[in-house]
Amino acid sequence: HGGNTALHYCARIGDTSSLRLLLQCRHDEGKGGGNGGGGGGGNKRNDSILYAKNARGETPVHIACAAGRTDVLEIILTLCPAASARALSIMDECGRTPLVSAVESGSNDAVMHLLMWRGNHRLAIASGLNSDARPNCSAIKAGGKNRTVQEEGGRKQRCPLVAAVSTGSIEMIQLVLEFSDPHASAVSAGYDAQGALLEAIYLHD
């Protein structure tokens, strides 16, 4: 099964009914507080279903983004806003966050959905761990589509702007730039402008 959980499968095929049930069970268990009372620990433990990775390091949110499942994203982001803030910063084995997975899938709707949600929840994201809300990019030449990435805690993270350029879609590039921060340049928004230019040159060649 490649390490996929039930939530991974729901996200992939768009089974929103089962998805809601799984997430509701998570909340119900958290309210119970587990053994000895105190629901806080239960909530934190149950959030792990959103962070669970398959063999490729993908969470259910990665899967939904790669499949362009905006209906699945809407449910997850609405029912689990705090957990989603952290889930959006998790990288898969190729250094992709869910946003990058959405960009590389070519789903403009999924990308817009994530960026608009992120813009409305900046405080929650800022308090999360390793958020990609304002990524610190650096150009690294490594070959192939993933040669330009971000450095984060010793790990290599794919830059959303570079990923957008790699799709060859002007609309996708505009989405990443404008919805990230309409008043900021690519550099001030934390994106790797140099890497994006290198990607564009690579594609042209």
Side-chain angles (χ1 to χ4, degrees):
H1 299 290
N4 290 300
T5 65
L7 206 61
H8 282 89
Y9 286 113
C10 290
R12 187 183 304 279
I13 66 176
D15 185 349
T16 56
S17 296
S18 297
L19 178 74
R20 285 182 181 277
L21 180 61
L22 288 169
L23 294 178
Q24 186 60 52
C25 287
R26 160 192 169 275
H27 286 299
D28 289 343
E29 290 174 7
K31 291 176 183 177
N35 295 327
N43 274 324
K44 185 174 182 181
R45 182 170 58 254
N46 291 330
D47 283 344
S48 64
I49 64 173
L50 280 178
Y51 312 145
K53 295 184 176 183
N54 61 19
R56 293 181 296 277
E58 300 165 319
T59 66
V61 183
H62 280 96
I63 297 295
C65 289
R69 292 285 185 179
T70 56
D71 52 347
V72 170
L73 288 175
E74 176 65 24
I75 293 172
I76 292 176
L77 296 175
T78 300
L79 295 183
C80 313
S84 295
R86 176 182 171 187
L88 291 179
S89 72
I90 296 176
M91 293 183 289
D92 66 12
E93 292 300 313
C94 294
R96 300 182 182 92
T97 60
L99 173 59
V100 172
S101 293
V103 170
E104 293 188 348
S105 76
S107 175
N108 292 340
D109 289 341
V111 171
M112 184 180 298
H113 201 85
L114 285 179
L115 290 175
M116 291 183 69
W117 185 90
R118 194 173 68 176
N120 292 329
H121 295 77
R122 285 192 180 278
L123 290 179
I125 293 174
S127 64
L129 297 174
N130 299 323
S131 169
D132 70 333
R134 292 179 63 84
N136 181 19
C137 300
S138 60
I140 299 175
K141 299 176 182 178
K145 290 184 65 177
N146 294 319
R147 64 190 174 286
T148 305
V149 295
Q150 301 166 12
E151 293 276 26
E152 181 182 277
R155 299 177 64 194
K156 297 179 179 180
Q157 180 176 320
R158 182 91 159 127
C159 182
L161 179 58
V162 176
V165 172
S166 73
T167 67
S169 168
I170 297 299
E171 185 177 0
M172 182 65 76
I173 296 171
Q174 291 175 330
L175 279 176
V176 171
L177 288 174
E178 295 177 11
F179 279 85
S180 294
D181 188 342
H183 304 295
S185 66
V187 175
S188 63
Y191 290 131
D192 180 14
Q194 180 182 4
L197 179 59
L198 290 173
E199 185 73 23
I201 295 173
Y202 172 79
L203 290 176
H204 184 269
D205 292 341

